[in-house]
Amino acid sequence: MRIDVSNNAKSAQYSTLSRSLAVGDDEPDRNLALELVRVTEAAAIAGGHWVGYGDKLKADGAAVDAMRSLLSTVHFNGVVVIGEGEKDEAPMLFNGERVGDGSGPECDVAVDPIDGTRLTALGINNAIAVLAVAERGTMFDPSAVFYMEKLVTGPEAADMVDLRLPVKQNLHLIAKAKGKSVNQVTVMILDRDRHRPLVDEIRAAGARTKFIMDGDVAGAIAAAREGTDVDALMGIGGTPEGIVAACAIKSLGGVIQGRLWPTSDEEKQKAIDAGHDLDRVMSTSDLVTSDNCYFAATGITDGDLVRGVRYSKGKVLTQSIVMRSKSGTIRVVDGEHQAHKWESYARLK
């Protein structure tokens, strides 16, 4: 009797992996996750040389250069949907730019070589290098309105909160879902004048606030991830950052809700002309419709999410987090890099 030993037959006989985790040849597969970490590590190492030196443009330029260089080696056919734009004389990662080696699956790509350039320049916590990838055409186009009102929380309260509810009610729902009293709930919020009324509401409800200067991608993930002592993120931040965070939250199982927040009548009209409903509350799957997306971040300075770049006896040490929504896998990756291999990105004296 002839036995079929083809690859397909072997797979059918021995594989017990859920079909929901399988991907086709035209979809980004699990190997992409570790390729993306290499990219964010490079951006963090390059930007890390500028921590505390007070020059956010040079820090960003170095990170852009490194990220763009490493992206060209990644096995995918990517289009930048959320990019850097022009940065003086720095290389660009502009919207519409093709990235990757041109082979493999077609993908939407969101980049932020440094989420927190001011944090980097001043040596303040929570600066990270960020990259998110999803199947082509699945990321929300953020070009009409740059800001959105956001509410982020973890999986316990994901199905209970609603951005349209009063702040106090949402905080009580989060407390109930997490088995806490309201005075044990911590809300992360960008330190901006526009948030003074919101801060008053949070405190009047009995909850605590934790301010961040910049970097609400890290803040949003901290709000959705266990073990950070942050229960929610609230307030108005960048729409692009909301979409990047949504890629991570797809893996974490929490929720991000957003409502576009135009800053002028001109921007409001632009949004209406683009067909956006400004009263609509978008959820995680509205911001990223794909269930097969990836998020990678490497710390530049220490923060709630990962540790920053460190230096030890000829080595550069990094810590990264990488997530894949299809499997729900979250990995924390500690890297040791030989410092002399990265001399081309070192800050000149």
Side-chain angles (χ1 to χ4, degrees):
M1 181 178 68
R2 182 177 181 274
I3 299 175
D4 185 351
V5 292
S6 67
N7 287 337
N8 288 341
K10 289 178 181 178
S11 297
Q13 184 176 0
Y14 297 112
S15 177
T16 58
L17 189 68
S18 168
R19 287 175 179 255
S20 66
L21 299 180
V23 296
D25 292 338
D26 60 343
E27 298 176 276
D29 69 15
R30 63 187 179 274
N31 297 320
L32 182 59
L34 294 181
E35 288 195 71
L36 299 182
V37 170
R38 293 172 51 244
V39 178
T40 57
E41 284 176 341
I45 291 170
H49 288 295
W50 291 93
V51 169
Y53 280 91
D55 194 330
K56 66 180 185 179
L57 292 180
K58 287 185 178 179
D60 196 46
V64 169
D65 187 13
M67 179 171 278
R68 193 168 187 254
S69 177
L70 267 290
L71 266 176
S72 66
T73 70
V74 176
H75 179 65
F76 69 174
N77 187 359
V79 176
V80 176
V81 174
I82 298 170
E84 277 285 284
E86 277 191 55
K87 292 287 184 184
D88 294 327
E89 297 183 9
M92 294 181 291
L93 285 168
F94 55 83
N95 290 1
E97 182 176 356
R98 290 272 177 182
V99 293
D101 67 3
S103 64
E106 293 191 1
C107 300
D108 283 351
V109 181
V111 301
D112 200 344
I114 300 182
D115 180 38
T117 54
R118 181 167 55 151
L119 304 179
T120 301
L122 298 177
I124 296 174
N125 285 5
N126 281 323
I128 55 176
V130 177
L131 179 62
V133 173
E135 292 170 89
R136 186 77 185 105
T138 61
M139 288 187 184
F140 179 79
D141 181 0
S143 60
V145 179
F146 186 74
Y147 288 100
M148 64 165 41
E149 184 183 1
K150 302 175 188 176
L151 169 60
V152 182
T153 192
E156 302 95 335
D159 295 329
M160 301 173 70
V161 297
D162 191 320
L163 191 57
R164 293 164 292 196
L165 295 175
V167 170
K168 181 177 180 179
Q169 187 172 348
N170 275 321
L171 291 173
H172 277 270
L173 289 170
I174 291 169
K176 181 179 179 180
K178 292 197 165 193
K180 297 182 174 185
S181 61
V182 174
N183 62 16
Q184 295 173 326
V185 171
T186 299
V187 181
M188 188 167 276
I189 186 168
L190 281 168
D191 188 7
R192 300 289 187 271
D193 288 343
R194 63 177 177 264
H195 288 149
R196 286 179 183 174
L198 176 58
V199 169
D200 290 342
E201 286 189 76
I202 292 169
R203 290 173 175 169
R208 301 180 291 180
T209 56
K210 181 175 182 177
F211 289 105
I212 50 175
M213 182 184 291
D214 293 302
D216 71 344
V217 171
I221 295 167
R225 185 162 163 74
E226 291 183 7
T228 63
D229 296 322
V230 177
D231 300 292
L233 176 136
M234 293 182 175
I236 296 159
T239 306
E241 288 82 356
I243 297 162
V244 172
C247 289
I249 291 169
K250 283 264 185 173
S251 299
L252 294 166
V255 68
I256 177 170
Q257 296 181 2
R259 181 164 47 197
L260 296 176
W261 195 78
T263 57
S264 66
D265 290 339
E266 181 182 356
E267 193 175 37
K268 182 177 180 180
Q269 189 58 51
K270 182 180 178 183
I272 293 170
D273 292 342
H276 295 298
D277 179 358
L278 297 178
D279 293 323
R280 179 190 177 200
V281 173
M282 293 178 285
S283 193
T284 314
S285 292
D286 296 313
L287 297 173
V288 184
T289 60
S290 173
D291 288 323
N292 188 25
C293 54
Y294 299 78
F295 173 90
T298 301
I300 299 174
T301 58
D302 288 344
D304 296 286
L305 193 59
V306 284
R307 294 190 66 179
V309 177
R310 288 155 288 140
Y311 305 93
S312 174
K313 296 182 180 179
K315 295 180 180 179
V316 182
L317 308 178
T318 59
Q319 187 172 74
S320 307
I321 187 167
V322 59
M323 311 182 195
R324 180 185 179 223
S325 67
K326 195 171 185 72
S327 61
T329 302
I330 302 167
R331 292 183 173 91
V332 176
V333 181
D334 288 303
E336 289 187 8
H337 314 268
Q338 297 298 317
H340 72 274
K341 301 282 189 179
W342 296 88
E343 287 176 354
S344 60
Y345 293 113
R347 180 182 56 83
L348 299 176
K349 293 181 180 178

